[in-house]
Amino acid sequence: ELVEGTRRETVKATLDSTCSSGAVEDDSPALKFKVLKTWGRARVAELQLPHHTFKTPVFMPVGTQGTIKGLTTSQVESIGCPIILGNTYHLGHRPGGDVMEALGGLHKFMNWKRNILTDSGGFQMVSLLKFAQITEQGVTFESPHDGSTMLLTPEKSIQLQNQIGADIIMALDDVVSSTLQDEARIEEAMHRTIRWIDRCISAHSRKHDQNLFAIVQGGLNPTLRRQCVSELIKRNLPGYAIGGLSGGEQKDKFAQIVAFTAPLLPTNKPRYLMGVGYATDLVVCVCLGVDMFDCVFPTRTARFGTALMNVEGGGLNLKKSELKTDFGRLDKECKCEVCETYSRSYLHGLVVGGGEKELGQLLTYHNLSYQMRLMKGLQDGIMEGNLDEVVREFFKK
């Protein structure tokens, strides 16, 4: 669905800003961030990490347990993906931190030569809430797989991430649902996130080759968000994330919090919006000054048989019976290997012929190609000074 109300007004105000260029750099030993060009709040930057240098804004696919389902690492690289995600909670369970360390880290484990970011495990406080008990010490999870328990403290999260060896590691934060109405619990989570960041910093043993990012919490309350940012930036970390959104809150509220929070973060460091992957959200939040995004959406929706493209609704469900005799290419605007090779009829036939897994693999490749192409188009719009035209054309479709 297209952006409504406040969200649309925010984008318009951003796009009406003047175009400018400049460069700022950070001196982190494991991260260099240089802004190349801005257009309103939107910006293109060069981000240098230990395993690869690339341009932002960037979308990061999620490989929860060290793999993007259905694709080889060479396929992911061929799409042009410079950085992927792994999940500390799941990798900590299987195969475990000690195994990761013995193998030389996740890069070697999955034979991935580019960058990795690991989530701290904090999101599981929401996604696995019925299995979790949260205290000041940390969060105790009961495994949904075998019933075993794990106490994930800030120190344990960082230890695991040091063993996993990702280029960017996330601080453990106290995450609550974005639809929660309990203001006392939201404020408690924000203050605990601030207390935990210092424990994460103290536990971090690989500052020379891993970058610790802090996460801003505070729900949909701007006052809490500002307070959290104010405290976190005192720690002068290599980058900052906006967390606790994209969990079912109203879209106008979502946009308001991103629009409010992003400008509070340092201009010379990466800004990461967690858990956001819908094309409309990506376009809007790039305009609001965000540099990095991740989400399971493009890969998960592929496994349900939907190809992402610039059409009404944002995608095409290959299960539709009328596609049986549609011999056209999957997406006329896409030049990925899948679109160059297979017709809509063929892909539909995989569904009805029992080839759902094969279809999921092909659509995963296409959907990630779509995300990479979308971000490249936004980068080009900023660099060429016509982001307003790029965005208006996107919303027309």
Side-chain angles (χ1 to χ4, degrees), residues 59-63 68 76 81 83-85 293-295 299 368 372:
F59 176 80
M60 304 178 286
V62 177
I68 294 176
V76 179
C81 175
I83 180 170
I84 63 175
L85 260 72
F293 306 87
D294 81 283
C295 192
T299 49
L368 292 182
M372 298 301 123

Side-chain angles (χ1 to χ4, degrees), residues 180-198:
L180 184 68
Q181 300 297 312
D182 185 346
E183 286 294 325
R185 175 68 184 101
I186 294 169
E187 183 171 3
E188 175 191 47
M190 185 274 292
H191 286 295
R192 181 172 287 144
T193 294
I194 295 170
R195 292 193 296 271
W196 281 1
I197 189 62
D198 293 322

Side-chain angles (χ1 to χ4, degrees), residues 14 18 48 59 71 109 201 204 265 274 286 301 324 338 385:
T14 301
T18 57
Q48 179 182 337
F59 176 80
L71 299 185
F109 182 63
I201 293 170
H204 185 20
L265 298 173
M274 306 181 77
V286 164
T301 198
K324 180 179 181 179
V338 174

Side-chain angles (χ1 to χ4, degrees), residues 182-288:
D182 185 346
E183 286 294 325
R185 175 68 184 101
I186 294 169
E187 183 171 3
E188 175 191 47
M190 185 274 292
H191 286 295
R192 181 172 287 144
T193 294
I194 295 170
R195 292 193 296 271
W196 281 1
I197 189 62
D198 293 322
R199 292 169 60 185
C200 289
I201 293 170
S202 296
H204 185 20
S205 64
R206 293 181 58 177
K207 296 181 176 68
H208 63 287
D209 65 351
Q210 289 184 295
N211 299 283
L212 175 62
F213 280 25
I215 304 173
V216 178
Q217 292 293 345
L220 303 179
N221 186 322
T223 300
L224 296 181
R225 289 279 174 176
R226 182 186 294 277
Q227 185 176 354
C228 194
V229 170
S230 177
E231 289 298 321
L232 293 179
I233 63 176
K234 293 177 183 178
R235 277 70 177 178
N236 193 31
L237 293 166
Y240 295 89
I242 302 171
L245 295 175
S246 195
E249 72 276 10
Q250 294 179 353
K251 289 295 186 180
D252 60 340
K253 297 295 185 182
F254 164 84
Q256 287 172 358
I257 292 299
V258 176
F260 176 83
T261 306
L264 301 178
L265 298 173
T267 58
N268 63 332
K269 300 189 178 188
R271 301 165 177 165
Y272 166 28
L273 180 57
M274 306 181 77
V276 170
Y278 291 116
T280 299
D281 294 338
L282 294 174
V283 172
V284 170
C285 294
V286 164
C287 292
L288 296 176

Side-chain angles (χ1 to χ4, degrees), residues 8 14 21 44 91 106 164 190 192 202 204 236 305 352:
R8 188 181 295 278
T14 301
S21 63
V44 171
L91 290 170
L106 185 55
I164 292 167
M190 185 274 292
R192 181 172 287 144
S202 296
H204 185 20
N236 193 31
V352 298

Side-chain angles (χ1 to χ4, degrees), residues 122-382:
F123 176 70
Q124 275 63 47
M125 295 183 196
V126 175
S127 65
L128 298 177
L129 182 60
K130 64 180 180 180
F131 299 104
Q133 292 182 331
I134 304 165
T135 66
E136 188 64 26
Q137 183 181 12
V139 54
T140 301
F141 291 102
E142 179 182 327
S143 170
H145 306 294
D146 59 13
S148 63
T149 60
M150 172 195 283
L151 173 59
L152 190 66
T153 64
E155 294 81 7
K156 181 64 175 179
S157 174
I158 298 302
Q159 178 193 347
L160 287 170
Q161 292 185 82
N162 286 159
Q163 291 176 312
I164 292 167
D167 302 82
I168 297 175
I169 65 177
M170 304 305 299
L172 184 66
D173 53 339
D174 188 352
V175 186
V176 296
S177 171
S178 58
T179 60
L180 184 68
Q181 300 297 312
D182 185 346
E183 286 294 325
R185 175 68 184 101
I186 294 169
E187 183 171 3
E188 175 191 47
M190 185 274 292
H191 286 295
R192 181 172 287 144
T193 294
I194 295 170
R195 292 193 296 271
W196 281 1
I197 189 62
D198 293 322
R199 292 169 60 185
C200 289
I201 293 170
S202 296
H204 185 20
S205 64
R206 293 181 58 177
K207 296 181 176 68
H208 63 287
D209 65 351
Q210 289 184 295
N211 299 283
L212 175 62
F213 280 25
I215 304 173
V216 178
Q217 292 293 345
L220 303 179
N221 186 322
T223 300
L224 296 181
R225 289 279 174 176
R226 182 186 294 277
Q227 185 176 354
C228 194
V229 170
S230 177
E231 289 298 321
L232 293 179
I233 63 176
K234 293 177 183 178
R235 277 70 177 178
N236 193 31
L237 293 166
Y240 295 89
I242 302 171
L245 295 175
S246 195
E249 72 276 10
Q250 294 179 353
K251 289 295 186 180
D252 60 340
K253 297 295 185 182
F254 164 84
Q256 287 172 358
I257 292 299
V258 176
F260 176 83
T261 306
L264 301 178
L265 298 173
T267 58
N268 63 332
K269 300 189 178 188
R271 301 165 177 165
Y272 166 28
L273 180 57
M274 306 181 77
V276 170
Y278 291 116
T280 299
D281 294 338
L282 294 174
V283 172
V284 170
C285 294
V286 164
C287 292
L288 296 176
V290 177
D291 306 302
M292 304 169 66
F293 306 87
D294 81 283
C295 192
V296 299
F297 169 69
T299 49
R300 181 172 291 173
T301 198
R303 297 194 293 274
F304 285 105
T306 296
L308 301 180
M309 59 186 69
N310 293 331
V311 296
E312 184 177 357
L316 177 68
N317 188 336
L318 272 300
K319 297 177 182 180
K320 292 184 176 180
S321 58
E322 59 264 31
L323 298 178
K324 180 179 181 179
T325 55
D326 187 340
F327 303 110
R329 62 187 296 142
L330 176 61
D331 183 356
K332 295 178 181 179
E333 298 181 3
C334 183
K335 296 182 180 180
C336 80
E337 184 178 355
V338 174
C339 290
E340 294 282 3
T341 307
Y342 301 105
S343 68
R344 293 180 173 187
S345 176
Y346 174 83
L347 296 170
H348 169 75
L350 290 178
V351 179
V352 298
E356 290 91 347
K357 289 185 178 180
E358 291 82 357
L359 178 65
Q361 292 174 332
L362 295 174
L363 293 188
T364 294
Y365 189 95
H366 164 76
N367 284 358
L368 292 182
S369 297
Y370 171 85
Q371 299 287 91
M372 298 301 123
R373 181 164 51 91
L374 175 65
M375 303 311 285
K376 180 62 166 58
L378 294 169
Q379 289 178 16
D380 291 345
I382 297 167

